[in-house]
Every structure is written in structure tokens, then in C-alpha cells.
Amino acid sequence: MNGEQRTLTFLFTAIEGAARLWDGQAQAMTGALARHHAILQQVISTGGGHVFQVVGDEFCVAFEQITPALRTVVAAQYALLAEDWAVVGGLRVKMALHVGLAELRGSDYYASPTLNRLARTLAVTHGSQILVTAATREGVHGYLPEGYALRDLGERKLRDLPPEHLYQLVAPGLADSFPPLPTLDARPHNLPAQLTTLIGREAETATLRSSLRQTRLLTLTGPGGAGKTRLSLAVAATLLDEFADGVYFVPLAPVSDVGLVASTIASTLGVKETAGQSATNALQSYLQGKQMLLVLDNFEQVVEAAPILNGLLTASPRLKLLVSSREVLHLYGEQEYAVPPLALPDLKRLPPSSELERYAAIALFVARANAGRPDFHLSAENAAAVAEICTRLDGLPLAIELAAARIKLLTPRQMVERLASRLALLNSGNRNPDPRQRSLREAIAWSYDLLGAEEQSLFRRLAVFVGGCTAEAAFAICNCDGSLPFDVLGGLASLVDKSLLRSAEERDGSLRFQMLETVREYALEKLTGNESRYDMQKAVREYALEQLAESGESATLRTAHTAYYVAFAETADQQLRGRELAHWIVRVEAEHDNLRAALQWTLATEAPLALRLATALGYFWMIRGYYSEGRQWLEVARAQDRQTTIMQAAALNALGNIVRMQGEYSAARTCFEQSIAMGEELANQRTIATALGSLANLISEQGDNNIASLMLQEALTIWQSLADEPKIASTLGRIGTVAFYRGDLDTAARLIAESVVAWRKIGDVITAARMLDNQGVVELERGSAAGAFAAWAESLIIYRALDDKVNIAFTLNNAGDLLRRQGDYEQAKALLNEALTIRQELGAKLDVARTTNNLAQVILEEGGYQQAEELFERCLHLFHEAGVMRDIAAVFERLTRVEIAKQDYERATHLLAAAAALREASDNPVLGSQREEYDRTMAALHQALDAERYAVAWVVGKAMTLEEAVAYASNGGKTRRG
């Protein structure tokens, strides 16, 4: 009845990619659309639905009840799937259901909020997928037609609307796997885009999806070229919506050192090591509670690292691992899946050519051949030859792709003849017991033999790269002797065309070229000239290092490779300290495997060059948090070359900085002092000043700011004598920071302002922004909130433009604390929570503690004493692990206020006295804006306790050791002293 509001179930449908279909084939779409309309009209009418609007390809339907609507959408999908849409290259319809209030006006419904939400839901639905809203699910009341199910896709953000909890309707015979929903909160992932369609793995994908829902460790096994990587990526892509914290692909092909597995996974996830914490421990801490899928590729090279995976699974009950490996890991709870070859026909009973593409191996060959020759198709003349090619290659996807790539040069019958002779030769030698592996190797060898001599040379030389290369690097290294008589870029393009090389666009828009590891192993074999030894399961890097010395060509290329990457690392070392930091972090990360390979090569051949390369990478390892790896490389390089040189002194300084970040202050101090001694012995002022600055940073962190200031003044004098403007600017800022810690705010303000001016003059906006952050802190302590906000606002604009998350979080943390001091608690919590989220994502443990400390202070001032106490105690343990005395003292002082609120005045006095003792011992006075708060706390204690009780409590607190005080502060008041 018109004008009456009623609760109805609404259905919206639309053809996926309709505009594209119309643009490409308008005439065919006219007929297809008419058939689409007829099918939907008939199914909807039968199901009791009322079509109240049709706009182009979109249907708007109303149902009186939910169950008929559910049955109708499933029936509609069945009917559409049964239709042959080949005339338009396929047609898929997306559907969405929502329950809500509506008012009938004439022949249309007035239901603006209801229909608007449904339209937004349909917009994120994929073709052939059925989505339902939370209201629809609630209306079902737990009952679904037999065989139906609702898959929870979680709460999702729709454009211009509050979040909506969405579900996928699953029914027998309907498509089950879809890409992630393109909602505003799409699940995080780093899965590489696939340029070709996965063929013939539908059953395997469904089986693996089901297995991963039942197990937490699934290992895909099989020989190289079986398609393990491609299959694991396809499965992962269909599971994105099931892992709230993301799906991440970790390629381990370039890694042969078991000790680098944890740091490689950590790097992929953006997790950094912190003081006293290994990469493995940092990963375990980061993954706790996270619902995440890790796809670990090529694990056979580092199978000894399997216990690390066991530790990760134990630490994170919601973590799942999908591993590809040529061998099982032998871990408890592991489920193995042997990836089968693609389906093949029986050569003795071949079906007609029109039916051959039902076999996945044949379909793959045809699809890849079409890429090179669009007119290629199966016929009575070539069908038997194509079937024989795929059978001789044992259904291995990579081998079939390599063969199909030659279709422009050879007919299928010619391919059969060549493959037959090669396989017969190989079988007589019996060099590899796995027949599928023999087939793959010979497919590669066969493709290699078809290259011209110049292309063969380029192909071999590309084997020196680990993890791929840029065109610039390929030209510089592969043609280092000028012997390649053709354009290297053209050669790269030719190898890509022949499927022996792959290209991908980098984040900065440049192209990166990469061999499949299986192909690279064959190229290494050709490069070293040693074909008698072939072990597909041996780690590539170990094999190369053992054999490269036997070939004059390989040694020349390795030398060129090393020279190129040493120069690259030294350039990066400078750029990472300037305005191009963000860009160069990406570049060095992309080349990290090549840099590791160069380090291994130089350690075996030229120790001084290894030391030079490791030193150049020291700052990168430090800022990226690769502490364990960087320390290992530097220590090994130093052990190989212990001569007293400027480079040895620089290596000591780099090592000291990394060790300091690990919290080993004594070892770090030894490194810096040795570096200074070497500088003095060599009379090198630059070396002395650099190490003095590093040592001053360390001493300041330990609390002796007077000595740190003297050291920095000495370093400044040296830099001024050398007229080194960036070093002068940097040292001015550091002296100002130390003055701040000493409580000399005027000196701090003057020197930091001078540093800001100096960095702007040099043109380094990032470092100037960092100094602005410090300037804001100083202004705040001087009582100028406006000055602090102005400085932070300016720096934040710079950081956000560069997506510099580390410094965005730093500035948000400072601004949040300032808003807390001004009493704007809600806004303070918003900024601090944003900073905390970023720092947790980055895995910056100490930074997480500092932001949590500030957040706890806000909650304390709001009266949330119990929650604040829990947060303070959590911070305290982190600060104690790192040995940061001024932060430990600050937590003691804030816990004092909690105890005052609980009216436990003696315990409060114990804590405040312990903080005072710690500040005195570490030369960290209470600073400006904190002094007023400190004085109020002290006055409250004097008022609550008589003079004698206060004096006794103060003596007891000051007598505590650091460990006793931390334990006392952490026990929730259960233990008393005195």
C-alpha cells in the first residue's frame, strides 16, 4: 500500500565490467544484454520478486521475505552460468542483498538509506559473487536453505557510510574464490600482480583453500618448475578477506644463509629489531595476536631454519603459513601437499582436437602460444604434436611455457623432434633421478640452444645477479668488457619475450629484470662451464661460490658486479642521510640480495673491499633495523682485514652504532674508543670527529650529558676546521639536544635554531624537519605551546608529503602530549593512538613504549587509574630492557601519582625517591614543564605524611637499586619495604 513503510529484502544486480564490454563489442552486447534481461526476469518472477526498476544492465528487485530472495539469487546465478556468453568473451553478474525499511510510492520504492547502503555494497561485489549485509544475515535467524552458508568477510568501510559487516553467500556449484573486496579498508598485502591467468589449477586451489582453513602450516612440495609459487600466490589471493592483518609473500630464493631468514621475513613485514632483541624475537612480538597469512617461497634453500617457523606459530595462535619447498619441513602439525603435474591426455587414445583443451597442460600450451602467435589454435594437424610436447615435459608448467614461447620459430612437430633428441641424450646419462626434473632442465637447455650466440652470452652473464637487476646494472656489468655486440636493453627484451626472463615495474616506476631461480641455476651452470655437476636442490649461492672461480668469464663478471655494487652502496650511504632518504631506502632494499652476494664474493676474494662494502651499508642496516645481520657482516669483514686503516676505523664506528641500537652499551663504547684511537694513530681528523660524535650519543643516552657536551664541542671544532657544513649543522643540533637534557633550555633553543637554519641553507628538508621537531620540544619546555605547535605543524607537512612514517609518529606523539598538557584529552588520545598504531606496525619497541607512556598519562589525568597503572608498568619493562634511565625515572614519577590517587602515600614516596636517585645518578634533572607537576606531587606527599614518616619513606626509596626499584614498581603494591 502506498505511503506505508514496510521491511523488505532488496536485491541489486549488475554486469561486471559492462562499460568495457560495450566499448569492445557493442553489437554482440546488444544480444547478450537482451538474453541477460530475459533470464533474470524469468528467475525473479518465479521466485516471487518484484522488479521495480531496470537501468541499463542493473536490476532493482524487492522481496516480501528473505528466504525466497536467497533462493532466487542462487537460481539466477545458476541460470546465468549455464548460458554460453562466448559471443562477448564471458559475462559475470554481481548481486547484493539488504534488508531495510521502504515506502512504496507509485511503482517505485522510497528507501533512500536502505537502497543507498545496498548500492554501496553492490559496488564492492565481484562478478558471480553474492554479498549480503548484516541486516540480511540477522533476518535469516540462523536458518538457511540446505547447502547454503554465509562466509564472514568482516566489518568493511563503504564510501560515505558507517562500516557494514558483509557476508558472502556460498552455495553448491557457485564460484567460491574471489579477490579481496575493494572496500576502503581492503586487507593489507604485498602479493605481486600476476601478468597471466593461472590455468588448470582450479581443483588444487579449492583443496588448498580448504586445507588452510583446517591447518596452520601447509607445505607445497614438488620439483622446480612444478608451479608451487604460482599456485601458492593464487591461493593466497583468494584468502585475503580471511586474514584481518594481511597476507604477505616472502621470497626466499635469494637467501641461502639460515641466519637471514628471520630478518628477511621481518623486512617484508616492516618489523625492526630493537635494543636487546633479535630479529626472531622482534617477529614473535610483532605477530602476537595477529591474524595473518605468510607465504614463504623457496624454503628448501633454508630448510634448517624450520624451527624459526615453529617459534612464530607458537607465539601467534592466529598466524598461518603457506610454504613452497622442494622438501618437507618435518615440523609438528605440518600438512604436506605434493603439487601434481598438469593433467595430460593419453597419447595412445587421444580425444579429438576440439576436446584436447579440457586437459590443463594442453590449455596452458595453447594460451601461452597465443601470446606469441594470436592466430595459433589446435587443429587436426598439430594436436598430436602439442599433446606429445606436453607429455614429454611431464606436465610441468614452466617447461610447457618455455616450449610454447618458441612457437614463433618452430612448429609443434619441429619442437617434438628437438625435444625427443635432447631427452634421449639425457636419459642415457641418468644425471638426475627425477624424470620431471630432467624434463624441466632439458626444456631450459633447449630454449637456451635456440638463442643466438650473443643472447646466450647475455643470458649466462645475467646469472651473476641475485634478486634481479635494473637495466642500468645489466649494461654496466654484463657488458663490462665491451664484448656484447648489441644493445643490452634489446637483449633483455628478447629474453623476456622468450620467457627466460621476467620484468616487473618497481615502486619508483623503473623496470627490474629477474630470472626464475630454476632458470638461473641453469644459467649459472653455463656461466661456470661445469655441466657435469647438476643438483637442483643445492642452494644457488653456495653452488655459484664453489664453481665461479673455475671460469675466467665468471670471475670477470663477479669483479664487475662487486665494483658496481660497492659504488652503489657508497652513493646510497650519502643519499640515505639527506633529502632523498625515502627514495633510496626503496632502492637499496631492492638491491639488498645483490649487495649480500657481493659481500660473500669479496669476503672470499678481497677482504679490504668487503670491509669497505660492509661499512657503506652500516647506516642502511641501522635505520632499517637489520641489527643482527649488519653486525654479523661487519664483524666477519673486520675479522678478515684487521689492519689499522681509515676504513677499519669507519667500520668500527658503524659496528658501534648498530651494537648501541641493540642495547649493548659497553661493547658499543669499546668500538667507538677503538675508532678514535685509530683516527689518532692515522692523524685523520674526520675519523676522530665522527667517532667522537657517536660516543657522545652513547654517553648522553647513559645519562652523562656534561661529558657528552664536551665531546660534541670537540667534534664541532674539528668539523669547523674542515668546513664540513652538513657535519657542522648536525653537531650543532646534537649539542643543543644535550643542553636540553641538562635543563639549559635557552642554549638548547639557540643551537637547535642555528641547526635548522644551517640545514635549510644546505637544502636538506628532512633533517631540517627533524630539527624542527626538537625545536618544538624545547619550545614546549620553555612554556611556549604556540611555538611548539608551529614547529611540529611545519615538520608534519614535510613528513606526510614523503610518507615518512617514523617521523610522522614522532611528531604526532609530541603533539598529543602537548594537547594532554592543555587538557584536550580526546584530541590527545586520537593523535597518540595514531602514533601508537604506526609505531606498532613499524615494530619500534622503544618508541611504542614512549607513546604508550604518554597515552597512560592522559588516561591517568582522566581518572582511569587502574588502566593507567597497567600501561605504565608495561612501559617500565621496555625502558628497563633498553636501559633508558630518564624514561624509567619518568615512569616512576607517574606511578607516584597513581599511588597518591589510591592513597598509598608511603609507596608513592618510595617511588618518587627512587626516581630522584636515578635522575641524580644519570644527570637527568626534571625539566621545565614537568617541574610544576613534580612540585604538586611532592606537596601532596608532604601534606599526607608527617615529617618523620615522609623522611623514612624517602630514605627507603632512595636506597633501592635500579633492579629493586623496577621490581617494586611492577608488583602492584604487593611488596613493602621498610
Side-chain angles (χ1 to χ4, degrees):
M1 181 180 297
N2 281 344
E4 179 185 351
Q5 279 205 332
R6 303 170 57 204
T7 299
L8 298 171
T9 301
F10 289 96
L11 162 67
F12 279 6
T13 79
I15 296 175
E16 183 179 57
R20 171 180 51 78
L21 294 173
W22 278 106
D23 287 343
Q25 40 205 335
Q27 185 173 353
M29 266 299 287
T30 301
L33 188 66
R35 183 62 187 146
H36 162 270
H37 280 35
I39 291 171
L40 287 185
Q41 290 281 12
Q42 180 179 355
V43 174
I44 292 167
S45 175
T46 302
H50 166 58
V51 179
F52 62 88
Q53 191 174 44
V54 177
V55 180
D57 62 289
E58 300 177 7
F59 272 61
C60 303
V61 188
F63 291 86
E64 295 285 339
Q65 296 179 348
I66 293 178
T67 301
L70 294 173
R71 294 187 183 280
T72 299
V73 290
V74 172
Q77 289 289 15
Y78 285 155
L80 291 165
L81 289 170
E83 190 75 11
D84 183 4
W85 303 104
V87 66
V88 290
L91 185 145
R92 304 199 315 162
V93 178
K94 51 187 181 179
M95 302 182 181
L97 290 168
H98 180 49
V99 173
L101 285 171
E103 177 186 332
L104 183 64
R105 293 183 180 179
S107 61
D108 203 349
Y109 284 96
Y110 176 75
S112 182
T114 299
L115 299 188
N116 188 37
R117 182 165 292 273
L118 181 55
R120 292 287 188 265
T121 302
L122 184 71
V124 300
T125 309
H126 295 288
S128 300
Q129 187 177 36
I130 304 169
L131 291 188
V132 305
T133 61
T136 312
R137 178 180 178 274
E138 290 169 7
V140 172
H141 299 302
Y143 171 77
L144 283 169
E146 185 176 355
Y148 290 20
L150 292 176
R151 179 171 297 151
D152 190 344
L153 301 182
E155 191 172 83
R156 313 307 289 267
K157 293 180 181 177
L158 303 176
R159 184 165 59 88
D160 301 328
L161 291 175
E164 172 67 56
H165 206 121
L166 297 178
Y167 301 82
Q168 178 183 320
L169 179 60
V170 180
L174 293 186
D176 182 37
S177 303
F178 297 95
L181 299 182
T183 51
L184 299 179
D185 57 351
R187 300 294 196 246
H189 73 92
N190 72 335
L191 300 181
Q194 300 303 305
L195 303 180
T196 56
T197 304
L198 182 64
I199 293 175
R201 294 297 194 189
E202 292 80 5
E204 290 88 343
T205 300
T207 297
L208 292 170
R209 278 171 55 90
S210 177
S211 295
L212 265 177
R213 292 190 179 115
Q214 306 300 320
T215 188
R216 297 181 59 214
L217 173 58
L218 179 60
T219 304
L220 276 58
T221 60
K228 301 185 295 296
T229 300
R230 188 70 172 83
L231 181 56
S232 64
L233 287 171
V235 172
T238 67
L239 292 169
L240 276 168
D241 276 321
E242 299 187 23
F243 292 90
D245 295 301
V247 176
Y248 291 92
F249 177 66
V250 185
L252 293 168
V255 180
S256 61
D257 186 342
V258 172
L260 296 180
V261 171
S263 59
T264 300
I265 299 173
S267 172
T268 301
L269 299 178
V271 177
K272 292 187 177 183
E273 299 173 49
T274 54
Q277 189 180 46
S278 67
T280 300
N281 290 337
L283 264 179
Q284 290 175 348
S285 298
Y286 174 78
L287 290 171
Q288 280 182 358
K290 284 194 166 49
Q291 185 183 24
M292 185 180 289
L293 173 65
L294 294 182
V295 183
L296 306 176
D297 192 43
N298 285 106
F299 205 84
E300 67 277 353
Q301 299 197 138
V302 287
V303 72
E304 294 84 0
I308 294 174
L309 306 189
N310 194 55
L312 297 182
L313 290 168
T314 301
S316 180
R318 302 173 75 198
L319 173 70
K320 295 195 176 188
L321 303 178
L322 178 58
V323 181
S324 68
S325 174
R326 294 179 194 170
E327 57 181 293
V328 293
L329 310 186
H330 299 293
L331 290 178
Y332 178 77
E334 177 184 21
Q335 180 176 332
E336 180 190 2
Y337 181 86
V339 176
L342 295 175
L344 291 163
D346 184 346
L347 291 181
K348 295 180 180 178
R349 290 190 277 288
L350 278 180
S353 58
S354 60
E355 298 178 18
L356 262 181
E357 285 190 65
R358 290 189 291 108
Y359 295 92
I362 309 299
L364 177 63
F365 183 95
V366 173
R368 300 301 182 254
N370 279 146
R373 261 185 56 193
D375 61 336
F376 178 82
H377 63 278
L378 282 182
S379 65
E381 291 74 27
N382 65 25
V386 170
E388 188 171 353
I389 291 167
C390 295
T391 302
R392 285 187 178 276
L393 296 176
D394 294 298
L396 284 173
L398 175 57
I400 292 170
E401 291 198 24
L402 288 170
R406 312 307 302 200
I407 197 68
K408 288 190 285 188
L409 297 178
L410 300 170
T411 66
R413 177 48 53 196
Q414 289 172 320
M415 291 185 199
V416 169
E417 292 168 0
R418 294 188 180 226
L419 277 174
S421 61
R422 268 209 163 272
L423 289 170
L425 271 175
L426 181 62
N427 287 336
S428 64
N430 195 28
R431 287 181 288 179
N432 194 314
D434 186 338
R436 288 194 293 169
Q437 202 64 74
R438 291 201 301 270
S439 300
L440 173 62
R441 182 182 183 278
E442 286 313 294
I444 299 169
W446 174 66
S447 288
Y448 174 79
D449 287 346
L450 290 174
L451 297 174
E454 295 84 3
E455 286 182 319
Q456 286 182 348
S457 179
L458 177 60
F459 174 77
R460 288 194 306 272
R461 295 176 180 207
L462 286 167
V464 299
F465 294 102
V466 182
C469 65
T470 61
E472 175 194 5
F475 181 83
I477 296 167
C478 294
N479 200 28
C480 60
D481 56 1
S483 63
L484 291 180
F486 61 90
D487 175 50
V488 171
L489 188 58
L492 294 171
S494 178
L495 293 176
V496 170
D497 189 46
K498 296 174 175 65
S499 295
L500 288 169
L501 203 64
R502 292 189 176 178
S503 64
E505 187 172 332
E506 296 282 77
R507 285 168 57 183
D508 62 1
S510 63
L511 278 181
R512 189 168 190 82
F513 298 89
Q514 191 165 11
M515 283 183 180
L516 291 172
E517 275 307 301
T518 308
V519 175
R520 182 173 178 267
E521 290 186 40
Y522 181 83
L524 272 172
E525 188 178 291
K526 302 303 293 184
L527 181 64
T528 60
N530 187 339
E531 294 192 48
S532 63
R533 183 175 183 184
Y534 186 75
D535 181 358
M536 289 292 290
Q537 301 215 7
K538 188 168 184 62
V540 172
R541 201 169 301 151
E542 288 181 16
Y543 180 81
L545 286 172
E546 290 174 7
Q547 301 299 321
L548 278 174
E550 298 181 14
S551 167
E553 182 186 34
S554 63
T556 300
L557 286 167
R558 276 295 191 188
T559 300
H561 179 276
T562 298
Y564 179 88
Y565 283 106
V566 168
F568 173 86
E570 290 177 337
T571 300
D573 185 39
Q574 296 301 315
Q575 296 295 334
L576 287 170
R577 301 169 194 270
R579 70 181 78 178
E580 296 295 321
L581 169 71
H583 170 70
W584 275 87
I585 281 179
V586 173
R587 287 196 63 182
V588 181
E589 197 69 69
E591 299 294 357
H592 203 181
D593 291 318
N594 276 311
L595 292 161
R596 287 165 171 156
L599 274 166
Q600 286 186 326
W601 170 251
T602 51
L603 282 170
T605 60
E606 194 173 351
L609 196 57
L611 188 66
R612 179 178 159 191
L613 178 54
T615 302
L617 289 170
Y619 187 64
F620 167 74
W621 287 324
M622 188 180 75
I623 62 175
R624 291 295 284 167
Y626 301 154
Y627 306 139
S628 299
E629 179 178 356
R631 181 174 184 171
Q632 178 183 335
W633 284 120
L634 282 162
E635 287 178 341
V636 172
R638 285 194 61 244
Q640 295 283 84
D641 178 21
R642 287 199 173 276
Q643 299 180 55
T644 299
T645 61
I646 292 174
M647 189 53 63
Q648 180 70 242
L652 277 164
N653 187 69
L655 178 60
N657 279 313
I658 289 176
V659 172
R660 175 174 65 87
M661 297 303 290
Q662 291 182 303
E664 297 183 30
Y665 290 149
S666 178
R669 183 165 189 153
T670 298
C671 289
F672 297 141
E673 289 173 346
Q674 287 179 355
S675 183
I676 293 170
M678 282 189 182
E680 291 172 343
E681 183 178 345
L682 296 166
N684 187 283
Q685 295 298 298
R686 183 172 293 276
T687 296
I688 296 169
T690 300
L692 276 171
S694 297
L695 182 56
N697 289 342
L698 173 66
I699 289 173
S700 176
E701 283 185 11
Q702 291 182 299
D704 197 339
N705 289 306
N706 288 321
I707 297 297
S709 182
L710 292 173
M711 287 183 171
L712 288 167
Q713 289 289 350
E714 184 179 350
L716 179 62
T717 301
I718 295 173
W719 293 128
Q720 288 172 334
S721 70
L722 296 173
D724 190 322
E725 295 299 329
K727 294 294 186 183
I728 292 170
S730 176
T731 309
L732 280 170
R734 187 61 194 147
I735 296 172
T737 302
V738 171
F740 169 80
Y741 290 141
R742 293 169 56 211
D744 187 352
L745 300 181
D746 290 339
T747 299
R750 176 177 57 80
L751 291 174
I752 291 174
E754 286 182 30
S755 180
V756 171
V757 171
W759 282 118
R760 283 174 169 160
K761 181 180 178 182
I762 293 167
D764 188 338
V765 293
I766 292 180
T767 309
R770 290 173 186 155
M771 286 297 105
L772 280 167
D773 281 329
N774 291 344
Q775 189 177 58
V777 173
V778 174
E779 289 302 317
L780 180 61
E781 296 301 333
R782 297 175 80 196
S784 175
F789 264 132
W792 290 333
E794 187 176 351
S795 65
L796 195 57
I797 289 170
I798 296 169
Y799 296 145
R800 288 200 186 279
L802 297 170
D803 194 29
D804 185 345
K805 293 186 182 300
V806 172
N807 284 308
I808 288 172
F810 181 83
T811 307
L812 289 171
N813 179 69
N814 288 339
D817 193 47
L818 174 53
L819 286 167
R820 186 268 307 172
R821 298 181 196 202
Q822 294 182 322
D824 189 347
Y825 297 138
E826 288 305 312
Q827 186 63 16
K829 285 191 292 187
L831 294 187
L832 290 170
N833 277 314
E834 184 181 351
L836 185 59
T837 298
I838 295 172
R839 286 178 159 178
Q840 286 172 333
E841 289 173 355
L842 294 172
K845 193 173 179 181
L846 198 55
D847 289 338
V848 167
R850 286 180 174 137
T851 302
T852 304
N853 189 18
N854 287 339
L855 187 60
Q857 176 78 338
V858 177
I859 294 168
L860 172 64
E861 293 183 10
E862 285 185 314
Y865 301 114
Q866 182 175 348
Q867 184 184 359
E869 184 175 35
E870 291 172 358
L871 292 174
F872 283 138
E873 290 179 4
R874 190 183 306 169
C875 299
L876 181 59
H877 288 291
L878 294 174
F879 290 141
H880 186 219
E881 285 178 17
V884 188
M885 302 306 166
R886 57 177 167 265
D887 287 317
I888 295 172
V891 175
F892 284 166
E893 289 157 0
R894 290 179 172 181
L895 280 170
T896 297
R897 294 182 60 198
V898 174
E899 298 303 327
I900 290 173
K902 292 159 63 175
Q903 297 184 354
D904 192 340
Y905 301 112
E906 288 188 354
R907 178 174 170 78
T909 306
H910 293 156
L911 289 171
L912 194 62
L918 191 56
R919 286 191 179 278
E920 289 172 10
S922 61
D923 188 25
N924 276 294
V926 177
L927 297 176
S929 65
Q930 299 169 353
R931 171 56 63 180
E932 184 179 345
E933 178 184 304
Y934 186 89
D935 290 342
R936 284 199 304 270
T937 302
M938 184 72 78
L941 292 176
H942 279 296
Q943 184 176 354
L945 297 173
D946 61 48
E948 184 177 349
R949 289 177 63 197
Y950 174 83
V952 170
W954 187 263
V955 170
V956 169
K958 286 202 74 172
M960 291 184 191
T961 66
L962 174 61
E963 285 66 29
E964 287 174 334
V966 170
Y968 181 65
S970 305
N971 67 15
K974 295 175 184 175
T975 303
R976 293 290 185 268
R977 288 177 54 106

